[in-house]
Amino acid sequence: MPESPLNVLAIVGSLHRESVTRTVINLTADRFQTAGCVVDMLDLQGEPLPLYNPDTAYDTPAFVALQARVDRADVLVLGTPDYHGSISSALKNFLDHFWHEFAGKLFATMVASHEKGLTVTDQLRTVARQCHAWSLPYGVSFTENVDVKDGRITSDSFEKRLNMMVRDARIYGGLLARPRRA
């Protein structure tokens, strides 16, 4: 029996209209698709979530539809700008809404930062642990106008890091998906 393709949910955690995070997540999604994965894009600018309130968060039709998308995902590619050494509020709000659905899944983190995004990556890895998810042991950071410019990757080192992340997310996301699907 052929194995099902890996389901990737790529999340743009930036609300900025001209976001380099959005550009990089779109480029990353293209690479996953080229590698045979099924990719679902969630852009939190176009699909905003209400501020998380545990008393009302689960009562809307929009939540139920998005919950099904998160449930389907084997890998979550989390893209965020580095805001003062932390994740964006839009991405944090998403993580608060769907923490139950992350168990046993893989997080791959991508951070737009002028400071390497290390604290942001650490925060996302902490969320993964708290939600019984897995994360790649590294994050991929990038800098606008250094690694990415005018919608294109302009840095060979970033190109290599991105390819490594896509490869590793496919391998380890697939390993985690098999027993969860069974």
Side-chain angles (χ1 to χ4, degrees):
M1 182 164 101
E3 193 168 312
S4 299
L6 195 68
N7 291 301
V8 176
L9 180 60
I11 300 133
V12 179
S14 173
L15 301 181
H16 190 285
R17 280 187 302 276
E18 310 218 359
S19 167
V20 69
T21 302
R22 181 173 296 105
T23 298
V24 169
I25 291 295
N26 283 323
L27 292 169
T28 304
D30 290 344
R31 288 166 192 244
F32 276 108
Q33 286 177 321
T34 298
C37 299
V38 174
V39 178
D40 182 3
M41 291 289 298
L42 173 59
D43 188 334
L44 295 171
Q45 180 193 36
E47 296 182 66
L49 289 164
L51 189 60
Y52 178 71
N53 177 341
D55 293 332
T56 60
Y58 312 108
D59 299 336
T60 66
F63 173 83
V64 173
L66 186 51
Q67 183 181 36
R69 292 167 65 190
V70 176
D71 275 338
R72 263 191 309 277
D74 299 308
V75 174
L76 292 105
V77 177
L78 304 171
T80 182
D82 179 339
Y83 286 150
H84 314 291
S86 188
I87 63 178
S88 71
S89 58
L91 185 60
K92 174 66 168 90
N93 191 46
F94 167 80
L95 295 169
D96 288 343
H97 274 83
F98 295 103
W99 59 276
H100 285 285
E101 291 76 14
F102 299 146
K105 298 182 180 187
L106 181 70
F107 282 15
T109 62
M110 306 191 76
V111 181
S113 179
H114 297 284
E115 305 272 329
K116 297 184 183 176
L118 296 175
T119 57
V120 178
T121 298
D122 285 344
Q123 290 167 2
L124 291 169
R125 291 177 69 205
T126 298
V127 170
R129 283 192 307 273
Q130 292 296 314
C131 296
H132 306 283
W134 298 84
S135 66
L136 290 176
Y138 60 88
V140 174
S141 67
F142 52 92
T143 303
E144 187 172 16
N145 296 323
V146 173
D147 298 311
V148 180
K149 186 173 183 174
D150 299 325
R152 294 183 11 254
I153 295 172
T154 56
S155 159
D156 288 340
S157 65
F158 177 58
E159 179 88 29
K160 289 176 185 171
R161 291 190 316 270
L162 180 58
N163 288 337
M164 180 177 75
M165 190 271 303
V166 169
R167 181 197 67 225
D168 290 350
R170 287 180 47 237
I171 291 168
Y172 297 109
L175 289 172
L176 292 168
R178 283 183 206 107
R180 200 180 56 255
R181 290 175 180 177

